[in-house]
Every structure is written in structure tokens, then in C-alpha cells.
Amino acid sequence: MTKGSAVSTLNKGIEKVEVTLKWDPSPMGAPDHDLDIIAATYPADAPHGDPAYLVHFDSRSPDGTIALNRDSRTGQGFGFDEVMTLELDRLSDTYARVVVGVTIQQGEGRKVFGDIENTAVRVREGYTDLAVNDFAEVADATAATVAEFSRDDTGNWRFHATVRGFDTDPDTFARSMGH
């Protein structure tokens, strides 16, 4: 499995991507593992400030360009259980940056990526994997950024592979993941 590798993209830039997440269910009798994909969208006038809005927990952006299409609370299923679609080519010019992260819900005591079997995230445009990561380098983290998209000088979206671990609760992570 490639660890955060990036694939060069066409000159036209990134248009539509899918971020998928998988993990194994918790052992029988143990509390469920609940991982969530979160996207934070930042305005062009403050691309490293507070997010303009967040998409997470079975929601979509106000304009419908970013949507959590499938939300798993247990990791049960085959393959990738949670799916988020980002239609960057339709996103308003008022936004210049989107950061995508994954967080672990902390309902039954502290859990880190290393506690959960078979975790993986994949960032894909069409049939091309832009990045695949198994969270090994952030095994002690409770949340991690997994992708960043930003507009270049021509207005095209570019992908930046990034895996950065955080040790915080989901709400704090959602507010601070793009800083």
C-alpha cells in the first residue's frame, strides 16, 4: 500500500474526487469503532483561517458540491464503507482550499488508529488513485488530515498528499484541521 503518494495530474487540474474510508468492525462484544470523513472548506480571503463550512456526519455542502454519500458507524461491509464526493470544479470561486480529514469518535474511551484493524483511506479521481494510506505513520493519533486541495494561480484545483496526525476530540479536530 502506498503511503501518501501523489500522482501527477493533467494540466486541467482536479475536477471531481472521491475519498473513501474503510476499517474492520470492533471485536464481538466490544463498542463499535466509528470513523468519520470530514471536509473543511476555506474562503479565498482566509485560506488558513476558520473554515467557511464543514461537511461530515451524513451531510452535504450548502451548494451540494461536497457530499458524504455513505456514512458507516461500525465499519461493517465489504471494501470501503464511508464515501465522500467532492466536485471541486463546481465549487464557487469564493473558496480556495479544501482539507479532508478522518476522525475517530471517542464514545467509549480513547481510541487511536493503531487500535483499529485494517484502516485505509483512498483519494481517487475517476479511476486514478491520487493517494492511498493505512494510517501507520499516525498510529497514535485520534484524527488525521488525509488530503488537501487548493486553487492555483489559474483557478485550477491541485491535490496535495498530506497525512498529519492529531490527538484531539472530533469537534476540536474539525475546527483546527486546516490551520
Side-chain angles (χ1 to χ4, degrees), residues 36-170:
D36 288 302
I37 302 172
I38 301 173
T41 303
Y42 298 87
D45 60 353
H48 295 278
D50 291 330
Y53 61 83
L54 298 170
V55 177
H56 56 88
F57 316 126
D58 204 20
S59 69
R60 65 183 323 129
S61 61
D63 61 4
T65 58
I66 301 173
L68 186 60
N69 307 93
R70 194 172 346 147
D71 181 19
S72 174
R73 291 187 170 87
T74 63
Q76 291 181 321
F78 297 103
F80 288 88
D81 305 308
E82 192 148 319
V83 179
M84 180 177 280
T85 304
L86 298 90
E87 295 181 68
L88 298 170
D89 59 330
R90 291 185 45 231
L91 197 59
S92 168
D93 290 344
T94 60
Y95 304 109
R97 185 168 170 248
V98 178
V99 177
V100 180
V102 173
T103 187
I104 304 168
Q105 294 296 329
Q106 301 294 320
E108 300 284 336
R110 185 174 179 276
K111 292 179 190 166
V112 296
F113 288 109
D115 295 333
I116 301 169
E117 295 291 321
N118 201 27
T119 56
V121 63
R122 178 178 64 199
V123 181
R124 165 180 274 197
E125 182 180 29
Y127 295 103
T128 302
D129 286 355
L130 302 176
V132 178
N133 193 286
D134 64 3
F135 299 99
E137 69 265 32
V138 292
D140 292 333
T142 61
T145 56
V146 297
E148 180 179 335
F149 302 93
S150 59
R151 286 191 200 266
D152 64 17
D153 294 339
T154 64
N156 289 321
W157 286 96
R158 298 293 174 204
F159 170 72
H160 309 281
T162 177
V163 176
R164 188 176 68 156
F166 290 76
D167 189 4
T168 187
D169 64 89

